[in-house]
């Protein structure tokens, strides 16, 4: 059953491609999102045997199931949905008058629902914005002038704060990345401010200790900045991302290890933040090669080569 579970929990990634843009949307009802279920029927048994997760963390498979559900919505309908419909899909908190002994089960189901909804958030961010322009010239113009549209583009500040205030790792990751995907290449100032709040080195001294930032949230914010400033060659962003890479090289645990919230098993070590910084740097200067004269003094290729060789 454990071997079967390993295969089954990987299915949401393939289902995303198989069901893409095939599902009609009813804006008056919440979207039904089903997580992967592992069960089997053995010989000489009439009933199915259901695999119990137990201590196994299934947050990421549930997260990808939420992404698959969002991307299965017909694309034009998903882009035209109102932001309030996204909040309609918010999972209900467990009742306070539950029977003794069932609190753990209710808490587990609620955490699973949060993981599903977090993936749904990211999926709605992926379908937001305009379709990708064709040709190099149109792509360059889209990096600065595109007007994005979609539920995560028009989400009001109070709704974004509601998602971030619960301090659920996957939800924070999904919202930050989803909004960055929806506004990719636009250099939107309001989205940039929200993302920057989750990068400790962009905050005043002492503020990161109050926010208890996790590496997963920091990585999502850093990658989001790369998407937001994609192809812009923004010098400020390039300097920030390069500095973050070098700081991680000098200290494997980064400089915020004392401020980490280790309660979320979905968040890992500084490696994800280092990888996100490198990807973000590549997105900002995507396709420019040696033609970026304004950044020549930063010696990007030499610096990155030294970092990889150490």
């Amino acid at each position: 059953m454990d071997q079967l579970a390993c295969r089954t929990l990987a299915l949401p990634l393939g289902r995303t491609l198989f069901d893409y843009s095939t599902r009609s949307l009813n804006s008056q009802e919440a979207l039904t999102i089903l997580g992967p279920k592992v069960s089997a029927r053995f010989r000489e048994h009439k009933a199915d045997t259901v695999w119990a997760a137990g201590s196994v963390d299934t947050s990421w498979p549930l997260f990808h199931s939420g992404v698959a559900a969002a991307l299965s919505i017909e694309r034009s309908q998903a882009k035209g949905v109102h932001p309030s419909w996204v909040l309609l899909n918010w999972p209900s908190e467990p009742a306070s008058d539950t029977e003794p002994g069932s609190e753990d089960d209710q808490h587990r189901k609620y955490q699973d629902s949060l993981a599903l909804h977090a993936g749904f958030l990211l999926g709605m961010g992926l379908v937001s914005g305009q379709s990708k322009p064709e040709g190099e010239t149109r792509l360059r113009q889209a990096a600065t002038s595109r007007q994005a549209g979609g539920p995560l583009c028009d989400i009001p500040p109070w709704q974004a704060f509601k998602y971030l205030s619960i301090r659920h790792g996957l939800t924070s990751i999904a919202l930050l990345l989803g909004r960055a995907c929806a506004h990719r290449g636009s250099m939107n100032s309001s989205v940039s401010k929200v993302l920057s709040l989750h990068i400790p080195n962009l905050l005043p001294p002492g503020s990161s200790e109050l926010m208890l930032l996790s590496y997963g949230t920091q990585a999502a914010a850093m990658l989001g900045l790369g998407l937001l400033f994609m192809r812009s060659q923004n010098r400020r962003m390039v300097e920030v991302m390069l500095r973050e890479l070098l700081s991680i090289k000098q200290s494997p645990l980064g400089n915020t290890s004392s401020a980490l919230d280790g309660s979320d098993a979905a968040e890992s070590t500084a490696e994800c933040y280092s990888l996100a910084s490198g990807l973000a740097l590549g997105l900002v200067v995507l396709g420019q090669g040696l033609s970026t004269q304004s950044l020549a003094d930063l010696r990007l290729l030499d610096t990155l080569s030294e970092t990889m060789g150490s």
Side-chain angles (χ1 to χ4, degrees), residues 205-232:
S207 35
S208 60
E209 297 291 332
L210 298 175
M211 296 185 68
L212 295 175
L213 298 174
S214 64
Y215 281 127
T217 306
Q218 293 178 44
M222 179 59 69
L223 184 57
L225 285 174
L227 290 165
L228 192 66
F229 289 85
M230 187 172 64
R231 287 183 176 267
S232 67

Side-chain angles (χ1 to χ4, degrees), residues 228-242:
L228 192 66
F229 289 85
M230 187 172 64
R231 287 183 176 267
S232 67
Q233 306 176 51
N234 184 282
R235 185 181 183 88
R236 167 63 173 159
M237 288 295 110
V238 170
E239 290 176 342
V240 167
M241 294 159 185
L242 196 60

Side-chain angles (χ1 to χ4, degrees), residues 133-177:
E134 298 178 0
E136 183 70 16
T137 303
R138 294 182 62 186
L139 189 56
R140 287 177 179 272
Q141 293 174 350
T144 56
S145 62
R146 178 175 52 193
Q147 296 296 323
L152 256 63
C153 293
D154 305 322
I155 185 173
W158 67 266
Q159 189 171 338
F161 177 76
K162 177 179 175 64
Y163 286 123
L164 296 174
S165 62
I166 64 172
R167 292 189 176 279
H168 181 252
L170 288 178
T171 300
S172 298
I173 289 172
L175 181 69
L176 296 175
L177 272 181

Side-chain angles (χ1 to χ4, degrees), residues 239-300:
E239 290 176 342
V240 167
M241 294 159 185
L242 196 60
R243 186 174 67 244
E244 294 297 274
L245 277 173
L246 295 176
S247 67
I248 295 171
K249 167 193 170 184
Q250 296 167 2
S251 176
L253 292 179
N255 57 2
T256 58
S257 58
S258 62
L260 290 183
D261 178 9
S263 61
D264 197 327
E267 318 234 7
S268 58
T269 64
E271 282 191 13
C272 65
Y273 185 56
S274 176
L275 179 62
S277 300
L279 289 171
L281 177 60
L283 286 170
V284 175
V285 295
L286 182 65
Q288 305 308 312
L290 299 175
S291 62
T292 310
Q293 299 299 325
S294 61
L295 303 175
D297 60 305
L298 296 179
R299 300 173 52 250
L300 289 178

Side-chain angles (χ1 to χ4, degrees), residues 120-136:
F120 169 75
L121 271 180
L122 178 58
M124 296 308 294
L126 291 173
V127 299
S128 297
Q130 293 184 351
S131 58
K132 182 178 178 181
E134 298 178 0
E136 183 70 16

